[in-house]
Amino acid sequence: MALTRLTESFYHRDCLEVAPDLVGKLILRKFPDGTLLRERIAETEAYRGQEDLACHASRGRTPRTELLYRESGVIYVYLCYGMHWLMNVITGEPEQPQGVLIRAGAVHNGPAKLTKYLQVDKHFNGGSFVTCPDLWIADDGCRPKLRTDVRVGIDYAGEYWKNMPWRWIAEEI
């Protein structure tokens, strides 16, 4: 099946719909010399609004979180622990902050390993998966069987939010 770039309408849904639907899609990274890297998304996590204490927006609107309030499809890249770039896509309606962390690829089994492989850093922050010529997500028809689990690394959010089963993982790709 041919690759079809995801459009804004794919992302313009609640993060709890987009997150599982991203698993199995391909993330592509094109370099100036024409090299094209691709990796199948194997795991995602949803972060949903100011009420979700694990979501960056729960701390209020700041220069860092401003992108969460933008249109769907926006790329949100941030530095974690001062050393790892993590990549998210904004979903849903503008002014209703939510997004999906691309947590792992089929080969690169962690969000920082994936961004390192794809050479994604702050330069992509604020771009759009819909229009960026160098970084996008495409569908080739892959629909893996999924399982859910709790999100990772968010103990600070408290038991209720920590235990939300908002992580989707491909059983096998």
PDB file of all heavy atoms in Angstrom, residues 6-9 14 17 22-23 26 29 32 35 39 45 60 85 108 118 133-134 136 147 149 154 159 164 171 173:
ATOM      1  N   LEU A   6      -0.456  11.888   6.836  1.00  0.00           N
ATOM      2  CA  LEU A   6      -1.618  12.218   7.657  1.00  0.00           C
ATOM      3  C   LEU A   6      -1.936  13.706   7.525  1.00  0.00           C
ATOM      4  O   LEU A   6      -1.040  14.544   7.525  1.00  0.00           O
ATOM      5  CB  LEU A   6      -1.357  11.861   9.119  1.00  0.00           C
ATOM      6  CG  LEU A   6      -1.050  10.391   9.410  1.00  0.00           C
ATOM      7  CD1 LEU A   6      -0.845  10.175  10.906  1.00  0.00           C
ATOM      8  CD2 LEU A   6      -2.144   9.478   8.885  1.00  0.00           C
ATOM      9  N   THR A   7      -3.205  14.001   7.433  1.00  0.00           N
ATOM     10  CA  THR A   7      -3.660  15.384   7.282  1.00  0.00           C
ATOM     11  C   THR A   7      -4.114  15.952   8.620  1.00  0.00           C
ATOM     12  O   THR A   7      -4.242  15.227   9.613  1.00  0.00           O
ATOM     13  CB  THR A   7      -4.828  15.450   6.285  1.00  0.00           C
ATOM     14  OG1 THR A   7      -5.924  14.725   6.840  1.00  0.00           O
ATOM     15  CG2 THR A   7      -4.437  14.884   4.921  1.00  0.00           C
ATOM     16  N   GLU A   8      -4.412  17.224   8.629  1.00  0.00           N
ATOM     17  CA  GLU A   8      -4.844  17.899   9.851  1.00  0.00           C
ATOM     18  C   GLU A   8      -6.079  17.236  10.434  1.00  0.00           C
ATOM     19  O   GLU A   8      -6.230  17.162  11.660  1.00  0.00           O
ATOM     20  CB  GLU A   8      -5.092  19.385   9.542  1.00  0.00           C
ATOM     21  CG  GLU A   8      -5.245  20.265  10.772  1.00  0.00           C
ATOM     22  CD  GLU A   8      -6.675  20.347  11.272  1.00  0.00           C
ATOM     23  OE1 GLU A   8      -7.599  20.030  10.501  1.00  0.00           O
ATOM     24  OE2 GLU A   8      -6.871  20.718  12.437  1.00  0.00           O
ATOM     25  N   SER A   9      -6.963  16.718   9.612  1.00  0.00           N
ATOM     26  CA  SER A   9      -8.191  16.098  10.134  1.00  0.00           C
ATOM     27  C   SER A   9      -7.897  14.846  10.964  1.00  0.00           C
ATOM     28  O   SER A   9      -8.649  14.528  11.884  1.00  0.00           O
ATOM     29  CB  SER A   9      -9.162  15.769   8.996  1.00  0.00           C
ATOM     30  OG  SER A   9      -8.608  14.805   8.127  1.00  0.00           O
ATOM     31  N   ASP A  14      -9.800  14.097  19.592  1.00  0.00           N
ATOM     32  CA  ASP A  14      -9.339  13.974  20.964  1.00  0.00           C
ATOM     33  C   ASP A  14      -8.081  13.101  21.012  1.00  0.00           C
ATOM     34  O   ASP A  14      -7.965  12.117  20.263  1.00  0.00           O
ATOM     35  CB  ASP A  14     -10.451  13.347  21.806  1.00  0.00           C
ATOM     36  CG  ASP A  14     -10.133  13.400  23.282  1.00  0.00           C
ATOM     37  OD1 ASP A  14      -9.419  12.497  23.770  1.00  0.00           O
ATOM     38  OD2 ASP A  14     -10.590  14.343  23.957  1.00  0.00           O
ATOM     39  N   GLU A  17      -8.331   9.379  21.030  1.00  0.00           N
ATOM     40  CA  GLU A  17      -8.600   8.721  19.749  1.00  0.00           C
ATOM     41  C   GLU A  17      -7.339   8.685  18.884  1.00  0.00           C
ATOM     42  O   GLU A  17      -7.053   7.683  18.219  1.00  0.00           O
ATOM     43  CB  GLU A  17      -9.705   9.454  18.991  1.00  0.00           C
ATOM     44  CG  GLU A  17     -11.057   9.428  19.666  1.00  0.00           C
ATOM     45  CD  GLU A  17     -12.066  10.294  18.924  1.00  0.00           C
ATOM     46  OE1 GLU A  17     -12.022  10.325  17.679  1.00  0.00           O
ATOM     47  OE2 GLU A  17     -12.887  10.934  19.594  1.00  0.00           O
ATOM     48  N   LEU A  22      -2.258   6.343  16.076  1.00  0.00           N
ATOM     49  CA  LEU A  22      -0.891   6.608  15.609  1.00  0.00           C
ATOM     50  C   LEU A  22      -0.021   5.353  15.638  1.00  0.00           C
ATOM     51  O   LEU A  22       0.937   5.239  14.867  1.00  0.00           O
ATOM     52  CB  LEU A  22      -0.227   7.692  16.463  1.00  0.00           C
ATOM     53  CG  LEU A  22      -0.557   9.129  16.104  1.00  0.00           C
ATOM     54  CD1 LEU A  22      -0.004  10.084  17.160  1.00  0.00           C
ATOM     55  CD2 LEU A  22      -0.037   9.494  14.734  1.00  0.00           C
ATOM     56  N   VAL A  23      -0.346   4.414  16.519  1.00  0.00           N
ATOM     57  CA  VAL A  23       0.456   3.192  16.610  1.00  0.00           C
ATOM     58  C   VAL A  23       0.306   2.409  15.300  1.00  0.00           C
ATOM     59  O   VAL A  23      -0.798   2.154  14.838  1.00  0.00           O
ATOM     60  CB  VAL A  23       0.049   2.345  17.832  1.00  0.00           C
ATOM     61  CG1 VAL A  23       0.863   1.060  17.876  1.00  0.00           C
ATOM     62  CG2 VAL A  23       0.224   3.134  19.121  1.00  0.00           C
ATOM     63  N   LEU A  26       3.887   5.319  10.186  1.00  0.00           N
ATOM     64  CA  LEU A  26       5.314   5.528   9.955  1.00  0.00           C
ATOM     65  C   LEU A  26       5.672   6.983  10.192  1.00  0.00           C
ATOM     66  O   LEU A  26       4.973   7.887   9.710  1.00  0.00           O
ATOM     67  CB  LEU A  26       5.679   5.161   8.516  1.00  0.00           C
ATOM     68  CG  LEU A  26       5.624   3.677   8.189  1.00  0.00           C
ATOM     69  CD1 LEU A  26       5.693   3.460   6.686  1.00  0.00           C
ATOM     70  CD2 LEU A  26       6.749   2.931   8.891  1.00  0.00           C
ATOM     71  N   ARG A  29      11.646  11.025   8.320  1.00  0.00           N
ATOM     72  CA  ARG A  29      12.547  12.159   8.490  1.00  0.00           C
ATOM     73  C   ARG A  29      13.423  12.254   7.255  1.00  0.00           C
ATOM     74  O   ARG A  29      14.169  11.327   6.925  1.00  0.00           O
ATOM     75  CB  ARG A  29      13.394  11.945   9.746  1.00  0.00           C
ATOM     76  CG  ARG A  29      14.535  12.908   9.928  1.00  0.00           C
ATOM     77  CD  ARG A  29      14.052  14.295  10.368  1.00  0.00           C
ATOM     78  NE  ARG A  29      15.158  15.052  10.912  1.00  0.00           N
ATOM     79  CZ  ARG A  29      15.916  15.875  10.193  1.00  0.00           C
ATOM     80  NH1 ARG A  29      15.673  16.065   8.906  1.00  0.00           N
ATOM     81  NH2 ARG A  29      16.911  16.517  10.764  1.00  0.00           N
ATOM     82  N   PRO A  32      18.633  17.019   4.112  1.00  0.00           N
ATOM     83  CA  PRO A  32      18.948  17.815   2.925  1.00  0.00           C
ATOM     84  C   PRO A  32      19.605  17.015   1.790  1.00  0.00           C
ATOM     85  O   PRO A  32      19.410  17.344   0.626  1.00  0.00           O
ATOM     86  CB  PRO A  32      19.904  18.896   3.458  1.00  0.00           C
ATOM     87  CG  PRO A  32      19.524  19.048   4.896  1.00  0.00           C
ATOM     88  CD  PRO A  32      19.131  17.660   5.343  1.00  0.00           C
ATOM     89  N   THR A  35      18.486  11.704   2.048  1.00  0.00           N
ATOM     90  CA  THR A  35      18.345  10.512   2.896  1.00  0.00           C
ATOM     91  C   THR A  35      16.989  10.553   3.590  1.00  0.00           C
ATOM     92  O   THR A  35      16.578  11.603   4.107  1.00  0.00           O
ATOM     93  CB  THR A  35      19.466  10.449   3.952  1.00  0.00           C
ATOM     94  OG1 THR A  35      20.722  10.408   3.292  1.00  0.00           O
ATOM     95  CG2 THR A  35      19.313   9.241   4.857  1.00  0.00           C
ATOM     96  N   GLU A  39      10.517   5.043  10.627  1.00  0.00           N
ATOM     97  CA  GLU A  39      10.337   4.085  11.717  1.00  0.00           C
ATOM     98  C   GLU A  39       8.854   3.978  12.027  1.00  0.00           C
ATOM     99  O   GLU A  39       8.133   4.976  12.041  1.00  0.00           O
ATOM    100  CB  GLU A  39      11.094   4.514  12.961  1.00  0.00           C
ATOM    101  CG  GLU A  39      10.888   3.544  14.095  1.00  0.00           C
ATOM    102  CD  GLU A  39      12.159   3.106  14.788  1.00  0.00           C
ATOM    103  OE1 GLU A  39      13.230   3.680  14.505  1.00  0.00           O
ATOM    104  OE2 GLU A  39      12.073   2.192  15.604  1.00  0.00           O
ATOM    105  N   GLU A  45       1.555   7.820  24.123  1.00  0.00           N
ATOM    106  CA  GLU A  45       0.898   8.188  25.379  1.00  0.00           C
ATOM    107  C   GLU A  45       0.099   9.459  25.147  1.00  0.00           C
ATOM    108  O   GLU A  45       0.567  10.374  24.468  1.00  0.00           O
ATOM    109  CB  GLU A  45       1.910   8.478  26.486  1.00  0.00           C
ATOM    110  CG  GLU A  45       2.579   7.274  27.055  1.00  0.00           C
ATOM    111  CD  GLU A  45       3.555   7.610  28.172  1.00  0.00           C
ATOM    112  OE1 GLU A  45       3.861   8.804  28.406  1.00  0.00           O
ATOM    113  OE2 GLU A  45       4.028   6.665  28.806  1.00  0.00           O
ATOM    114  N   GLY A  60      -0.384  25.498  33.831  1.00  0.00           N
ATOM    115  CA  GLY A  60      -0.809  26.779  33.287  1.00  0.00           C
ATOM    116  C   GLY A  60      -0.148  27.090  31.954  1.00  0.00           C
ATOM    117  O   GLY A  60       0.756  26.397  31.498  1.00  0.00           O
ATOM    118  N   TRP A  85      15.554  14.853  23.992  1.00  0.00           N
ATOM    119  CA  TRP A  85      14.462  15.491  23.267  1.00  0.00           C
ATOM    120  C   TRP A  85      13.307  14.504  23.153  1.00  0.00           C
ATOM    121  O   TRP A  85      13.517  13.351  22.776  1.00  0.00           O
ATOM    122  CB  TRP A  85      14.912  15.931  21.877  1.00  0.00           C
ATOM    123  CG  TRP A  85      15.947  17.000  21.930  1.00  0.00           C
ATOM    124  CD1 TRP A  85      17.277  16.869  21.663  1.00  0.00           C
ATOM    125  CD2 TRP A  85      15.741  18.365  22.298  1.00  0.00           C
ATOM    126  NE1 TRP A  85      17.915  18.072  21.836  1.00  0.00           N
ATOM    127  CE2 TRP A  85      16.986  19.012  22.231  1.00  0.00           C
ATOM    128  CE3 TRP A  85      14.625  19.102  22.681  1.00  0.00           C
ATOM    129  CZ2 TRP A  85      17.154  20.353  22.530  1.00  0.00           C
ATOM    130  CZ3 TRP A  85      14.791  20.450  22.977  1.00  0.00           C
ATOM    131  CH2 TRP A  85      16.042  21.058  22.896  1.00  0.00           C
ATOM    132  N   HIS A 108      13.568   1.574  17.819  1.00  0.00           N
ATOM    133  CA  HIS A 108      14.092   2.468  18.857  1.00  0.00           C
ATOM    134  C   HIS A 108      13.060   2.558  19.982  1.00  0.00           C
ATOM    135  O   HIS A 108      12.072   3.269  19.874  1.00  0.00           O
ATOM    136  CB  HIS A 108      14.453   3.824  18.244  1.00  0.00           C
ATOM    137  CG  HIS A 108      15.529   3.677  17.227  1.00  0.00           C
ATOM    138  ND1 HIS A 108      15.257   3.394  15.906  1.00  0.00           N
ATOM    139  CD2 HIS A 108      16.868   3.695  17.350  1.00  0.00           C
ATOM    140  CE1 HIS A 108      16.398   3.287  15.245  1.00  0.00           C
ATOM    141  NE2 HIS A 108      17.391   3.460  16.098  1.00  0.00           N
ATOM    142  N   LEU A 118      16.185   9.834  14.668  1.00  0.00           N
ATOM    143  CA  LEU A 118      15.606  10.705  13.633  1.00  0.00           C
ATOM    144  C   LEU A 118      16.262  12.081  13.580  1.00  0.00           C
ATOM    145  O   LEU A 118      15.955  12.875  12.688  1.00  0.00           O
ATOM    146  CB  LEU A 118      14.106  10.862  13.867  1.00  0.00           C
ATOM    147  CG  LEU A 118      13.273   9.593  13.738  1.00  0.00           C
ATOM    148  CD1 LEU A 118      11.839   9.845  14.212  1.00  0.00           C
ATOM    149  CD2 LEU A 118      13.283   9.070  12.315  1.00  0.00           C
ATOM    150  N   PRO A 133       8.362  19.671   5.523  1.00  0.00           N
ATOM    151  CA  PRO A 133       8.933  18.842   4.453  1.00  0.00           C
ATOM    152  C   PRO A 133       9.973  17.841   4.957  1.00  0.00           C
ATOM    153  O   PRO A 133      10.346  16.935   4.215  1.00  0.00           O
ATOM    154  CB  PRO A 133       9.583  19.871   3.523  1.00  0.00           C
ATOM    155  CG  PRO A 133       9.933  21.010   4.419  1.00  0.00           C
ATOM    156  CD  PRO A 133       8.851  21.057   5.469  1.00  0.00           C
ATOM    157  N   ASP A 134      10.415  17.991   6.211  1.00  0.00           N
ATOM    158  CA  ASP A 134      11.501  17.165   6.733  1.00  0.00           C
ATOM    159  C   ASP A 134      11.082  16.175   7.811  1.00  0.00           C
ATOM    160  O   ASP A 134      11.885  15.341   8.233  1.00  0.00           O
ATOM    161  CB  ASP A 134      12.610  18.059   7.296  1.00  0.00           C
ATOM    162  CG  ASP A 134      13.154  19.012   6.251  1.00  0.00           C
ATOM    163  OD1 ASP A 134      13.292  18.598   5.087  1.00  0.00           O
ATOM    164  OD2 ASP A 134      13.429  20.175   6.600  1.00  0.00           O
ATOM    165  N   TRP A 136       7.377  14.027   9.034  1.00  0.00           N
ATOM    166  CA  TRP A 136       5.945  13.821   8.911  1.00  0.00           C
ATOM    167  C   TRP A 136       5.580  12.400   9.297  1.00  0.00           C
ATOM    168  O   TRP A 136       6.459  11.546   9.477  1.00  0.00           O
ATOM    169  CB  TRP A 136       5.452  14.185   7.517  1.00  0.00           C
ATOM    170  CG  TRP A 136       5.894  13.286   6.403  1.00  0.00           C
ATOM    171  CD1 TRP A 136       5.211  12.235   5.869  1.00  0.00           C
ATOM    172  CD2 TRP A 136       7.116  13.355   5.664  1.00  0.00           C
ATOM    173  NE1 TRP A 136       5.926  11.651   4.843  1.00  0.00           N
ATOM    174  CE2 TRP A 136       7.106  12.318   4.705  1.00  0.00           C
ATOM    175  CE3 TRP A 136       8.230  14.195   5.727  1.00  0.00           C
ATOM    176  CZ2 TRP A 136       8.156  12.105   3.814  1.00  0.00           C
ATOM    177  CZ3 TRP A 136       9.283  13.969   4.845  1.00  0.00           C
ATOM    178  CH2 TRP A 136       9.226  12.947   3.901  1.00  0.00           C
ATOM    179  N   ARG A 147      -2.373  -3.085  23.017  1.00  0.00           N
ATOM    180  CA  ARG A 147      -2.719  -3.241  24.428  1.00  0.00           C
ATOM    181  C   ARG A 147      -2.509  -1.878  25.089  1.00  0.00           C
ATOM    182  O   ARG A 147      -1.775  -1.035  24.559  1.00  0.00           O
ATOM    183  CB  ARG A 147      -1.885  -4.322  25.098  1.00  0.00           C
ATOM    184  CG  ARG A 147      -0.413  -4.021  25.209  1.00  0.00           C
ATOM    185  CD  ARG A 147       0.336  -5.177  25.887  1.00  0.00           C
ATOM    186  NE  ARG A 147       1.762  -4.983  25.859  1.00  0.00           N
ATOM    187  CZ  ARG A 147       2.455  -4.315  26.777  1.00  0.00           C
ATOM    188  NH1 ARG A 147       1.843  -3.761  27.811  1.00  0.00           N
ATOM    189  NH2 ARG A 147       3.769  -4.174  26.662  1.00  0.00           N
ATOM    190  N   ASP A 149      -1.679   0.400  28.760  1.00  0.00           N
ATOM    191  CA  ASP A 149      -0.989   0.346  30.042  1.00  0.00           C
ATOM    192  C   ASP A 149      -1.001   1.758  30.612  1.00  0.00           C
ATOM    193  O   ASP A 149      -1.460   2.702  29.954  1.00  0.00           O
ATOM    194  CB  ASP A 149       0.453  -0.153  29.850  1.00  0.00           C
ATOM    195  CG  ASP A 149       1.019  -0.813  31.113  1.00  0.00           C
ATOM    196  OD1 ASP A 149       0.482  -0.587  32.224  1.00  0.00           O
ATOM    197  OD2 ASP A 149       2.012  -1.549  30.985  1.00  0.00           O
ATOM    198  N   ILE A 154       5.584   9.483  35.404  1.00  0.00           N
ATOM    199  CA  ILE A 154       4.762  10.627  35.821  1.00  0.00           C
ATOM    200  C   ILE A 154       4.265  10.481  37.265  1.00  0.00           C
ATOM    201  O   ILE A 154       3.168  10.907  37.601  1.00  0.00           O
ATOM    202  CB  ILE A 154       3.572  10.832  34.864  1.00  0.00           C
ATOM    203  CG1 ILE A 154       2.706   9.578  34.789  1.00  0.00           C
ATOM    204  CG2 ILE A 154       4.060  11.269  33.493  1.00  0.00           C
ATOM    205  CD1 ILE A 154       1.361   9.810  34.156  1.00  0.00           C
ATOM    206  N   GLU A 159      -1.612   9.454  42.138  1.00  0.00           N
ATOM    207  CA  GLU A 159      -2.104   8.114  41.825  1.00  0.00           C
ATOM    208  C   GLU A 159      -3.171   8.091  40.733  1.00  0.00           C
ATOM    209  O   GLU A 159      -3.131   7.261  39.837  1.00  0.00           O
ATOM    210  CB  GLU A 159      -2.635   7.431  43.089  1.00  0.00           C
ATOM    211  CG  GLU A 159      -1.553   7.004  44.063  1.00  0.00           C
ATOM    212  CD  GLU A 159      -0.574   6.011  43.468  1.00  0.00           C
ATOM    213  OE1 GLU A 159      -1.003   5.009  42.855  1.00  0.00           O
ATOM    214  OE2 GLU A 159       0.646   6.241  43.618  1.00  0.00           O
ATOM    215  N   MET A 164      -3.877   6.258  34.870  1.00  0.00           N
ATOM    216  CA  MET A 164      -4.721   6.292  33.678  1.00  0.00           C
ATOM    217  C   MET A 164      -4.111   5.378  32.608  1.00  0.00           C
ATOM    218  O   MET A 164      -2.920   5.482  32.313  1.00  0.00           O
ATOM    219  CB  MET A 164      -4.823   7.704  33.098  1.00  0.00           C
ATOM    220  CG  MET A 164      -5.705   8.610  33.879  1.00  0.00           C
ATOM    221  SD  MET A 164      -7.395   8.032  33.721  1.00  0.00           S
ATOM    222  CE  MET A 164      -8.250   9.356  34.490  1.00  0.00           C
ATOM    223  N   GLU A 171       1.230  -4.872  19.989  1.00  0.00           N
ATOM    224  CA  GLU A 171       1.567  -6.227  20.460  1.00  0.00           C
ATOM    225  C   GLU A 171       2.758  -6.776  19.672  1.00  0.00           C
ATOM    226  O   GLU A 171       3.630  -7.406  20.227  1.00  0.00           O
ATOM    227  CB  GLU A 171       0.363  -7.153  20.328  1.00  0.00           C
ATOM    228  CG  GLU A 171      -0.729  -6.875  21.336  1.00  0.00           C
ATOM    229  CD  GLU A 171      -0.332  -7.259  22.755  1.00  0.00           C
ATOM    230  OE1 GLU A 171       0.509  -8.153  22.942  1.00  0.00           O
ATOM    231  OE2 GLU A 171      -0.887  -6.664  23.687  1.00  0.00           O
ATOM    232  N   ILE A 173       4.945  -5.729  15.735  1.00  0.00           N
ATOM    233  CA  ILE A 173       4.982  -4.996  14.460  1.00  0.00           C
ATOM    234  C   ILE A 173       5.975  -5.702  13.559  1.00  0.00           C
ATOM    235  O   ILE A 173       7.016  -6.083  13.934  1.00  0.00           O
ATOM    236  CB  ILE A 173       5.352  -3.510  14.647  1.00  0.00           C
ATOM    237  CG1 ILE A 173       4.238  -2.785  15.362  1.00  0.00           C
ATOM    238  CG2 ILE A 173       5.669  -2.859  13.339  1.00  0.00           C
ATOM    239  CD1 ILE A 173       4.368  -1.311  15.461  1.00  0.00           C
TER     240      ILE A 173
END
